[in-house]
Amino acid sequence: MTEQLVVHGLEWTEKLHFVYPNEFIYWSIQIVMYPYMTGLVAGAFVLSSLYHVFGQKDLKDIAKFSLVFSLALLPVAMMPLQFHLQQPIRGIHVMMTPHFTSAIAAFGIVFSTYAIIVLTEIWFVYRQYFVEQTLALKGVKGAGFRRLIYNILTLGAYDLSEEAIAADKKGVKIFAAIGIPVACFLHGYAGFIFGSVKANALWMSPLMPVIFIMSAVVSGIALCMLTYIIIMEGKKLAASLKKGKSDESVKVIAGVEMDVIKKTSRYLIGFLIAAITLELLDMIFRGYTQMKSWDILREVMWEEDFTKIFIMQYGLGNLLPFLLLMIGKPGIKRTGIALALILFGVFMMRWNVVIGGQAFSLSFHGFMHYHMPIIPHNLETYKEGLFGALTVGATPFILFYIINKFVPSLKTSN
Amino acid sequence: MSVSRRDLLKKTLVGSAAAALPLDAFKFLSPEQAKAALAESPHRWGFLVDTTKCVGCGFCVKACKKENDVPYDEPITRTWVERYVITNDGEALVDSPHGGRDGFTEKKVMEHDVDPESIAKAFFVPKLCNQCKSPACVQVCPVGATYQTPDGVVLIDRSWCIGCGYCVMACPYGVRFFHPVHKVAEKCTFCYHRISKGLKTACVDNCSFGARQLCDLKDHNDPYTKVIMTQRVAVLKDEYGTKPQVFYIGLDKEVR
Ligand code: SF4
Ligand code: SF4
């Protein structure tokens, strides 16, 4: 070696038995993050739409929050792809010369459509608030910048008449309704990107998009609930520090929190059951039909990746939280643990699909193991390693913090 | 006011779109060039591998790496040779150290000491891009950086590939990888720079045993096209529907 050449994938791939020379784990942690993050986006949006479209009143309080949260998650669905590209600067080529026989080619279009819908819906939800803020901050010292932002956010629509407000409400409903299929499409599409790779025995399945959508909704709801719990716990703590533990306000917060969580849990469990059923169906079908690839898939499932699939994904990520939520009357703490486990389970599902799909050689004669780079020592090991993934994972919370400063989504209805 | 605002918006959009376009995106073809690009080619390149002739010397791999500037010591290669050892009880042992570049001098296969008495059959299989008729790699490239020439060779535009790796995943034969220097998808091109000048590929020229042959499938007088037409040949993994155009003599069920 004369200069330091990086063979993409070599760093983190361990080969066992016979694997074609050029085979490596090319799609690594960022491609695990990609469906995970889009899943969270789609799920958060669907949760908010359950209220806006279907009028599920019990979801009112969490609906606003999850809508704004899905906006914070949105740019993050793009990030892992950008991190993963070998030529990140050329990413824009997808928009310039989209090659429509490719399942990824329409990503830019689907994604922007979805982004526009979310933004529009949020605007309709908050227009009144923007106008009110613009008016309220008029002449307030030191609030010039804030007022300017709100003024811009109104987009010049200051009308607060009854008809105008009614029109806003209608707008919300329409965009939330269009948003559901688009959100599902956005994520089902991520499933299609995998499901249509005919060369990959594990990925290729028409069920893949549906499985992805279901688990997306599960993870989106779980994340919204968990974030909600954390924020409410914070509020509770702040209130009890200020006014003492037994103050009325602390009880009110706790009551609202429990109520929202209890109601949202029901939807979560429903989607969880659907997701697991589909995944099991897929697995049973493969086992029963025993196509050529079954021998190697079985070895991956039962031997190479047994812990990751059956213990971490199905056991810790599905069964345990399911029991935690179903048995007795789960309190906030128990629900919180169950939610964290569910998020972990969906993450493991993405991992087992993306990495698991590359765990065996296309020759069916060998295996590949992925060792995620932890401490980065060059750009590649940062981007496609633990820290790259953490960057992606942390971004939505930072964004949410900023957005929430202008678009408060955590006020409860009473 | 609203008109000028819209104008401004328009100008900004056009301006930023233009700034994002590299200059070479605006290459216009002359009418002749355009015609030539669309015309049907008189050739359709194909390949014949006679595995019964391959001795596993690896000269083809060496020649390919040098000819095509594939970093010599890195574990990636446009073409490679696999060794198969099938034991009496049906176990298949396969290996391809360094893609077979330095030949197969090691008696151990996949770290197994194989007792010569226990070997039922053993053979070598050279592999390369199949220049498929319905290439999965071309189908999935989101930007059209991977394309098929009219004479049937699948190429990659190094200036346009974004390095997403979708083609690498989509090829059922595992022939694609990322070029460590150019950071774009890379694979065998049938030495397109040579064959379009009437030469043979580097691997064909360097195989002393005639195990590899380039042929023009549209030329029925081509001696190797004749072999493909008149003898029993097979292709790799036809179940994927990619219609590979590298034909093999002497395949085995263990070869995938
Ligand atoms: S062998 Fe693979 S890379 Fe070559 S044309 Fe076929 S699908 Fe594409
Ligand atoms: S890696 Fe390059 S050639 Fe392959 S699909 Fe992506 S953009 Fe196309």
Side-chain angles (χ1 to χ4, degrees):
Chain A
M1 263 201 281
T2 42
E3 49 183 312
Q4 224 235 320
L5 293 176
V6 182
V7 174
H8 188 53
L10 177 63
E11 176 101 29
W12 51 75
T13 309
E14 181 197 328
K15 298 185 177 185
L16 196 71
H17 307 319
F18 177 65
V19 174
Y20 295 138
N22 298 327
E23 274 186 295
F24 293 98
I25 308 269
Y26 285 107
W27 281 6
S28 64
I29 183 70
Q30 290 298 353
I31 303 297
V32 177
M33 292 304 281
Y34 159 61
Y36 191 57
M37 295 322 270
T38 44
L40 293 176
V41 178
F45 186 84
V46 168
L47 178 62
S48 83
S49 297
L50 286 177
Y51 165 69
H52 290 300
V53 183
F54 303 112
Q56 301 290 342
K57 294 238 163 39
D58 45 358
L59 294 178
K60 185 167 181 205
D61 287 327
I62 207 169
K64 257 192 187 175
F65 162 69
S66 56
L67 180 63
V68 174
F69 201 53
S70 85
L71 176 67
L73 281 164
L74 197 63
V76 185
M78 248 351 206
M79 252 172 101
L81 292 184
Q82 207 59 25
F83 269 63
H84 156 79
L85 292 187
Q86 285 285 289
Q87 298 282 351
I89 296 170
R90 295 185 189 166
I92 188 74
H93 291 189
V94 181
M95 301 291 257
M96 284 155 63
T97 55
H99 182 238
F100 284 114
T101 58
S102 166
I104 321 187
F107 178 79
I109 298 167
V110 177
F111 184 79
S112 347
T113 314
Y114 178 68
I116 291 169
I117 291 174
V118 174
L119 282 170
T120 318
E121 187 184 336
I122 292 185
W123 186 75
F124 277 123
V125 172
Y126 283 98
R127 192 188 67 87
Q128 185 183 356
Y129 176 79
F130 296 153
V131 177
E132 283 165 5
Q133 287 300 309
T134 317
L135 297 177
L137 291 176
K138 204 172 189 170
V140 177
K141 264 216 177 95
F145 177 68
R146 269 186 87 79
R147 182 164 185 267
L148 180 71
I149 299 277
Y150 282 121
N151 211 343
I152 294 172
L153 286 174
T154 62
L155 300 179
Y158 297 106
D159 191 353
L160 282 186
S161 65
E162 239 168 68
E163 297 95 76
I165 303 284
D168 283 348
K169 287 228 167 96
K170 207 165 160 204
V172 172
K173 209 166 177 177
I174 291 173
F175 279 93
I178 309 174
I180 298 179
V182 178
C184 289
F185 192 82
L186 175 75
H187 195 68
Y189 180 70
F192 187 83
I193 288 175
F194 293 97
S196 63
V197 177
K198 61 183 170 190
N200 193 303
L202 185 78
W203 293 345
M204 186 158 129
S205 158
L207 279 184
M208 201 58 108
V210 198
I211 292 179
F212 265 53
I213 291 174
M214 288 306 158
S215 52
V217 178
V218 169
S219 64
I221 297 182
L223 182 65
C224 285
M225 285 171 70
L226 190 61
T227 320
Y228 187 79
I229 290 183
I230 293 171
I231 292 168
M232 292 307 265
E233 287 299 306
K235 278 191 174 178
K236 218 161 65 181
L237 193 70
S240 63
L241 282 181
K242 227 199 260 150
K243 297 174 189 160
K245 251 190 174 159
S246 49
D247 191 78
E248 198 51 35
S249 65
V250 179
K251 280 192 195 133
V252 169
I253 296 177
V256 171
E257 181 187 10
M258 198 58 228
D259 197 43
V260 168
I261 291 305
K262 234 191 350 297
K263 287 168 181 161
T264 322
S265 294
R266 273 186 252 143
Y267 296 90
L268 179 70
I269 292 171
F271 282 107
L272 187 62
I273 293 174
I276 301 174
T277 313
L278 284 168
E279 279 170 49
L280 288 180
L281 172 65
D282 189 63
M283 199 189 287
I284 292 169
F285 197 78
R286 286 168 196 276
Y288 193 77
T289 51
Q290 300 204 352
M291 301 287 281
K292 193 171 172 181
S293 56
W294 175 241
D295 282 337
I296 193 98
L297 287 184
R298 193 187 46 205
E299 260 181 83
V300 168
M301 284 181 201
W302 294 111
E303 281 156 44
E304 305 292 327
D305 280 356
F306 182 84
T307 325
K308 288 189 203 113
I309 296 176
F310 290 101
I311 302 195
M312 289 158 95
Q313 181 187 331
Y314 287 113
L316 284 178
N318 291 344
L319 188 65
L320 184 59
F322 187 74
L323 295 178
L324 283 177
L325 290 176
M326 294 297 277
I327 297 175
K329 274 198 192 136
I332 288 292
K333 238 191 231 139
R334 206 201 305 166
T335 314
I337 295 172
L339 292 172
L341 284 173
I342 287 177
L343 282 171
F344 171 73
V346 175
F347 180 80
M348 282 318 290
M349 180 256 173
R350 308 289 190 236
W351 179 289
N352 289 330
V353 168
V354 175
I355 307 288
Q358 301 167 82
F360 54 94
S361 164
L362 294 174
S363 68
F364 296 167
H365 279 299
F367 302 97
M368 286 189 280
H369 285 286
Y370 173 57
H371 299 287
M372 181 167 67
I374 309 282
I375 308 289
H377 58 80
N378 55 15
L379 190 61
E380 174 143 309
T381 42
Y382 162 67
K383 286 200 314 181
E384 306 218 27
L386 179 67
F387 283 91
L390 288 179
T391 310
V392 171
T395 310
F397 296 97
I398 299 168
L399 285 177
F400 178 75
Y401 177 79
I402 299 170
I403 298 174
N404 198 52
K405 283 234 167 303
F406 293 95
V407 188
S409 59
L410 288 164
K411 294 227 167 73
T412 45
S413 49
N414 37 11
Chain B
M1 166 68 198
S2 78
V3 173
S4 71
R5 199 202 272 166
R6 185 191 293 162
D7 247 27
L8 178 70
L9 201 66
K10 219 162 144 192
K11 277 194 189 130
T12 326
L13 274 181
V14 171
S16 51
L21 275 172
L23 271 183
D24 56 3
F26 292 108
K27 198 161 72 195
F28 286 101
L29 299 177
S30 71
E32 292 79 55
Q33 278 175 313
K35 217 166 157 192
L38 291 174
E40 235 194 78
S41 164
H43 308 290
R44 200 317 167 185
W45 301 112
F47 210 90
L48 177 66
V49 179
D50 188 343
T51 61
T52 61
K53 289 184 178 158
C54 178
V55 300
C57 65
F59 277 29
C60 49
V61 180
K62 275 200 183 85
C64 172
K65 282 208 146 184
K66 297 211 156 137
E67 175 70 29
N68 294 297
D69 288 324
V70 177
Y72 197 73
D73 287 320
E74 308 303 327
I76 29 100
T77 179
R78 287 183 173 203
T79 184
W80 68 96
V81 180
E82 294 166 1
R83 168 168 67 173
Y84 287 79
V85 174
I86 319 281
T87 63
N88 287 329
D89 41 22
E91 196 190 355
L93 301 168
V94 195
D95 70 349
S96 181
H98 298 285
R101 185 194 69 189
D102 305 327
F104 294 81
T105 47
E106 182 67 46
K107 269 201 174 159
K108 281 186 176 171
V109 189
M110 287 209 248
E111 271 134 52
H112 281 62
D113 278 313
V114 206
D115 170 13
E117 292 303 311
S118 72
I119 299 177
K121 55 183 168 184
F123 49 88
F124 298 100
V125 180
K127 295 262 181 93
L128 66 167
C129 170
N130 290 284
Q131 314 296 356
C132 305
K133 218 175 185 170
S134 316
C137 54
V138 172
Q139 182 189 25
V140 302
C141 177
V143 296
T146 277
Y147 59 99
Q148 194 172 31
T149 63
D151 44 5
V153 178
V154 171
L155 300 177
I156 300 157
D157 182 346
R158 280 187 182 162
S159 71
W160 207 249
C161 167
I162 59 175
C164 63
Y166 206 11
C167 57
V168 183
M169 290 293 137
C171 169
Y173 307 94
V175 306
R176 290 184 167 240
F177 55 95
F178 280 109
H179 196 292
V181 177
H182 304 292
K183 307 271 175 221
V184 288
E186 169 82 6
K187 69 167 192 74
C188 157
T189 57
F190 272 8
C191 286
Y192 201 63
H193 58 296
R194 293 171 61 94
I195 62 174
S196 42
K197 283 193 202 124
L199 298 171
K200 302 233 133 133
T201 69
C203 57
V204 169
D205 268 354
N206 282 277
C207 178
S208 321
F209 302 90
R212 292 174 174 248
Q213 300 296 347
L214 176 79
C215 59
D216 180 354
L217 296 170
K218 278 195 181 160
D219 177 3
H220 290 186
N221 293 318
D222 184 314
Y224 302 107
T225 302
K226 266 202 181 126
V227 173
I228 294 170
M229 285 166 65
T230 57
Q231 295 190 20
R232 279 165 284 181
V233 290
V235 292
L236 293 168
K237 305 190 187 187
D238 70 332
E239 67 271 25
Y240 291 103
T242 47
K243 306 196 182 87
Q245 301 295 304
V246 172
F247 297 88
Y248 282 84
I249 296 176
L251 278 188
D252 186 87
K253 80 172 175 52
E254 292 299 339
V255 180
R256 287 170 209 137

